[in-house]
């Protein structure tokens, strides 16, 4: 079945469409400002059950934005300073932003797992570059 994996979790079928909704076609926050070396970083992973497709769409809009969103809409999390997309449903982001996102994701019915991580800034940059080169991007 399209949109699911063997673990019965939602795989966002709108991901590619949302990718093209950004003017620069890049799935990440702008390169500036960089994450401060002293900022506590959080590895955040989320999961939305396949049975809740409406919530999955809302989660995608919250994180990746919408092409038709009004200019006054909140900035999508993927476009906020310090947010690094690691892979499907996995991000590294500053602790205050991670707590805010986790609260919103929980409110939409998503399961959220977080852990504090220490990653040198150069290695974070490797993930930023890797995000630009992901297949289908």
């Amino acid at each position: 079945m399209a949109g699911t994996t063997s673990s019965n979790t939602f795989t966002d079928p709108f991901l590619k469409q949302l990718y093209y909704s950004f003017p620069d076609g890049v799935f990440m926050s702008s390169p500036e400002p960089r994450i401060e070396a002293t900022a506590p970083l959080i590895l955040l992973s989320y999961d939305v059950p396949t049975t809740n497709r409406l919530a999955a769409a809302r989660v995608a809009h919250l994180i990746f934005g919408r092409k038709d969103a009004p200019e006054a809409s909140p900035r999508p999390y993927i476009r906020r300073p310090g947010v690094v997309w690691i892979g499907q449903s996995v991000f590294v982001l500053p602790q205050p932003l991670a707590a805010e996102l986790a609260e919103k994701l929980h409110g939409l019915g998503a399961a959220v797992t977080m852990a504090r991580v220490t990653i040198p800034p150069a290695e974070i940059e490797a993930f930023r570059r890797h995000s630009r080169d992901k297949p289908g991007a």
Side-chain angles (χ1 to χ4, degrees), residues 20-98:
Y20 291 108
S21 70
F22 294 115
D24 59 1
V26 177
F27 241 134
M28 57 188 5
S29 60
S30 63
E32 302 174 290
R34 299 288 182 218
I35 298 172
E36 293 182 32
T38 59
L41 297 176
I42 302 296
L43 181 69
L44 182 145
S45 174
Y46 69 90
D47 188 33
V48 181
T50 57
T51 56
N52 197 345
R53 295 184 63 76
L54 178 59
R58 288 183 176 161
V59 165
H61 294 154
L62 175 70
I63 293 173
F64 300 110
R66 293 178 58 128
K67 186 175 184 176
D68 61 349
E71 221 172 284
S73 295
R75 191 175 193 187
Y77 279 87
I78 196 75
R79 306 287 281 164
R80 296 184 188 194
V83 176
V84 179
W85 182 43
I86 302 299
Q88 182 175 334
S89 305
V90 181
F91 302 89
V92 170
L93 60 168
Q95 190 279 329
L97 202 52

Side-chain angles (χ1 to χ4, degrees), residues 15-16 19-20 27 85-87 129-137:
L15 194 57
K16 192 166 188 163
Y19 173 80
Y20 291 108
F27 241 134
W85 182 43
I86 302 299
R129 286 188 303 275
H130 177 70
S131 295
R132 292 182 196 126
D133 300 331
K134 288 188 189 248

